[in-house]
Amino acid sequence: MGIVKTIKPYHEPAGGWGALRAMGTALTEQGIAVSGMALLARMNQPGGFDCPGCGWADPKHTSPFEYCENGGKAVAWEATAKRCTPEFFAAHKVSELETWSDYDLEMVGRLTHPMRYDAGTDTYQPVSWDDAFTLVGRHLNALPNPDMADFYTSGRASNEAAFLYQLFAREYGTNNFPDCSNMCHEATSVGLPQSLGVGKGTVLLDDFEKADAILIFGQNPGTNSPRMMTDLRNASRRGCTIMSFNPFRERALERFQAPQNPVEMATLTSTPISGRLFQVRVGGDVALLKGMMKALVEADRRAQQEDRGTVLDWDFIRGHTVGIEALIADLDATQWADIEQISGLPRAEIEEAAAAYAKAERAILVFGMGVTQHRHGTQNVQQLANLALLRGNIGRDGAGLCPVRGHSNVQGDRTVGITEVPTAEFLDKLKARFGFEPPRKHGHNVVTGLEAMVRGEVKVFVGLGGNIAAAVPDWQLTREAMRRLDLTVHISTKLNRSHLVHGRDALILPCLGRTELDMQAGGPQSVTVEDSMSMVHASTGRADPASEHLKSEPAIIAGIAKATLGTRSVVDWDRLIGDYDLIRDDVEAVFPIFDGYNTRIKVPGGFHLTSLARERIWATPSGKANFLVYDKLGEDPRPAEPDMLWLTTIRSHDQYNTTLYSLSDRYRGVYGQRDVIFLNEEEMEKRGLQADDRVDIVTLSDDGLERVVRAFKVVPYAFPDGSCAAYYPEANPLVPLYAHDPQSFTPASKGVPVRLVKVAAEQGAH
Ligand SMILES: Nc1nc2c(c(=O)[nH]1)N[C@H]1C(S)=C(S)[C@@H](COP(=O)(O)OP(=O)(O)OC[C@H]3O[C@@H](n4cnc5c(=O)[nH]c(N)nc54)[C@H](O)[C@@H]3O)O[C@H]1N2
Ligand SMILES: Nc1nc2c(c(=O)[nH]1)N[C@H]1C(S)=C(S)[C@@H](COP(=O)(O)OP(=O)(O)OC[C@H]3O[C@@H](n4cnc5c(=O)[nH]c(N)nc54)[C@H](O)[C@@H]3O)O[C@H]1N2
Ligand SMILES: [Mo]
């Protein structure tokens, strides 16, 4: 790449002309400057396809311009004119490709043929679909126990593909469904049911038009869900208070220029977004949340003493919740000094945040990975739920919890049965519909799956999308385990790291993307997805497939199922693949909330899956919402290591998870490089470091293994004390596999204890 490596602050607002320029560049780089714009005109429109980017909800289709810079990049990446062909594979041994960067691998373009690894030549060679399916079947049938296979899902798979995938693996005999969600919002899915009885958000897009306050915890909308910026901007303009709690001063949370707004664009004005930014320390959220709640409780007592009403919503608390006494006792026992130390925020600031929250009649609490990816991720989520419950901010217009999901269908995949801990009720329904006995034993999630792989107990890995080898923690350990597998199968659109970290046998099975026409025996097919707000709607690709040899994800799963189960199967796979309406009928039979599925997706915008908590019906054992106590403030700050910093691993503006669109991160002022570490000047001074110095980042591991990434460049940044940040996935070798939330098994990617070792100038020269 010709990009110069520089660090220089970005002065423009987020969005705006910078966003339009970046989208134009992405389309041009992929060789689709003109056709790409035509494609984008069909994105998120009735009859069109759903954006393959993030899981933010679609508005009510009032503008022909329903996409954002990063959605544009996601489409450019899929609709690229570049191709990764058998000739390419013939020319590059796998051992050579291993030396390529992740960026260069995906830049090769769309995969065109099914490929099988050939050890003799150390290359991938073309293979027929039939032979590929037979190979998978042979390996799976050779396993003494179906629990020796793992079936991974990344959240781009449609409801139809995901349902078939779980159907096949369960008929085969296992509940091993590690899922990208295990590394993402699992703390939400595990934490919220205990609090509210549902594991999903409780707001709809309309609520953003009615809220008086929106609080954003550990989420970066300007980059990761840019269409949300329009809702925030409109809220901000009508006087809604917006507060953000984040160690970074994320640009989009400060100022935003709507690319869709001609006036802002022409006059170069922008809307200030976050009324207030609270720079919480990395891992300091429990302390912050308890501080806010403590301030509310204290204010409530004062108000009652002075006969000024109440600050807490006691009618709601008494009518709808249990556990308030224990929560208040815990808050009373928590000292302000500890809250300040661990959150990194002075008491006065926390009280200010609490006061602004208390002033709002209706408040929405938004949260993302900054909250979930901690050893105390579930606790973070539950303390957030407590904060909402204290003021009755659930189940009312303009109020609620809004976990912003990642992948565009990660929520839907879970809804239709991708889970390693299925309920008995679901399995009974599956059995009633199909007539086979599904396995009851709980299966692997990402962490337990990798642990089993490390122990040699897993032999076959199948990945429905994603890039597991790069997305997971502890590369040294986990990649070595992947290389010992009997078979790795990746259903993918683009070449990525996981294809190179392969088992003894290995297959790359290329599939259609969401923008492409999916033609089956019964004609062109649509799929369905569920967004962050539980809206289910259809997505129809119309573009010519990247290659005539591609199959749809459902068709690939059916091919594997037939080759593995043969006449044993009670499912008529060909019939289902011929007409996806039939798959949806099955989904509806197993999950009654999909009542009228095929009819309801014909309505533009789709339909909403009911959230009981939204109706103030609490599906918990007590029948009430639960205030849940966590008697700590976070993780112990290791007094024995005065040098320690909490490292958080974050996304740049120019990446989609492990896919890099470029090596730059313009809002944070980083260009042409990703091996950087953000650190404040005081912490730099303490360590004798200057800007551009190189450091090794070393994890303070508990198990004696050395975890280190080398020669990262120091970038001074107004960051909280005791904290630092580096990019995901480059920093993943630092995240220990054992360092996960014990309840949700979410790896602690946003809370890694590290120390820095300065590298001598000549060693660090890059
Ligand atoms: N363009 C683009 N869009 C995406 C993605 C992408 O990679 N690129 N990924 C998709 C996926 S799968 C997901 S899950 C979402 C991810 O979207 P986000 O949830 O926004 O994920 P991150 O960027 O990893 O981190 C979010 C924020 O958490 C802050 N943070 C870090 N540590 C802490 C902490 O300890 N406390 C608090 N309060 N904040 C902290 C970071 O500064 C950052 O602003 O986006 C989805 N959309
Ligand atoms: N340190 C650290 N680690 C993290 C995170 C973090 O913040 N920090 N975030 C975590 C999170 S939130 C997530 S969700 C995971 C993401 O983990 P994954 O979901 O496994 O990773 P992705 O990078 O999204 O997967 C990209 C690949 O998906 C394939 N692909 C793209 N589109 C399609 C499609 O339509 N169909 C199919 N079959 N394949 C397709 C392409 O081959 C592409 O290379 O990573 C997690 N890992
Ligand atoms: Mo995610």
Side-chain angles (χ1 to χ4, degrees), residues 487-564:
L487 173 71
T488 47
V489 183
H490 291 284
I491 301 168
S492 312
T493 51
K494 291 275 196 87
L495 182 63
N496 68 37
R497 186 64 52 193
S498 301
H499 305 141
L500 310 177
V501 184
H502 60 82
R504 271 188 290 126
D505 258 328
L507 289 165
I508 304 174
L509 304 180
C511 65
L512 293 172
R514 205 177 273 176
T515 54
E516 292 165 333
L517 181 69
D518 182 353
M519 186 58 82
Q520 302 295 343
Q525 303 296 320
S526 299
V527 294
T528 54
V529 294
E530 174 185 340
D531 67 30
S532 273
M533 289 165 193
S534 309
M535 293 294 298
V536 178
H537 54 89
S539 170
T540 314
R542 294 182 203 278
D544 286 338
S547 143
E548 57 179 336
H549 306 287
L550 303 185
K551 284 188 186 288
S552 75
E553 291 175 348
I556 295 173
I557 295 160
I560 293 177
K562 287 197 298 175
T564 307

Side-chain angles (χ1 to χ4, degrees), residues 733-751:
L734 296 173
V735 186
L737 189 56
Y738 65 74
H740 56 75
D741 175 7
Q743 285 199 63
S744 70
F745 288 84
T746 312
S749 308
K750 299 264 193 289

Side-chain angles (χ1 to χ4, degrees), residues 613-741:
R614 204 180 146 74
E615 321 289 324
R616 294 195 164 174
I617 299 168
W618 315 103
T620 57
S622 63
K624 302 265 168 127
N626 292 313
F627 283 106
L628 296 172
V629 171
Y630 174 49
D631 59 5
K632 296 200 189 118
L633 287 174
E635 286 150 62
D636 295 334
R638 280 181 187 254
E641 294 275 359
D643 245 14
M644 193 211 80
L645 293 166
W646 285 112
L647 170 80
T648 187
T649 61
I650 40 129
R651 291 160 167 77
S652 77
H653 189 62
D654 257 10
Q655 76 184 81
Y656 194 93
N657 296 343
T658 66
T659 297
L660 308 181
Y661 299 133
S662 85
L663 302 184
S664 299
D665 188 10
R666 74 172 188 277
Y667 294 157
R668 299 193 189 106
V670 176
Y671 296 89
Q673 56 201 319
R674 289 177 53 90
D675 51 347
V676 301
I677 174 165
F678 300 92
L679 186 67
N680 78 28
E681 289 185 342
E682 218 169 291
E683 295 289 2
M684 284 169 54
E685 209 166 290
K686 273 194 222 162
R687 291 167 179 75
L689 294 170
Q690 290 179 347
D692 294 351
D693 276 353
R694 297 271 172 184
V695 291
D696 290 345
I697 314 176
V698 186
T699 304
L700 300 176
S701 299
D702 292 344
D703 62 356
L705 280 190
E706 188 188 48
R707 295 178 175 83
V708 54
V709 296
R710 305 235 176 246
F712 274 44
K713 185 195 272 184
V714 173
V715 175
Y717 210 92
F719 213 63
D721 287 340
S723 309
C724 62
Y727 292 118
Y728 147 60
E730 285 80 355
N732 281 40
L734 296 173
V735 186
L737 189 56
Y738 65 74
H740 56 75
D741 175 7

Side-chain angles (χ1 to χ4, degrees), residues 313 316-317 357 387-396 399 616:
D313 183 345
F316 173 81
I317 293 171
Y357 172 64
L387 180 62
L389 292 172
L390 280 181
R391 292 209 16 98
N393 271 320
I394 293 188
R396 275 198 291 135
R616 294 195 164 174

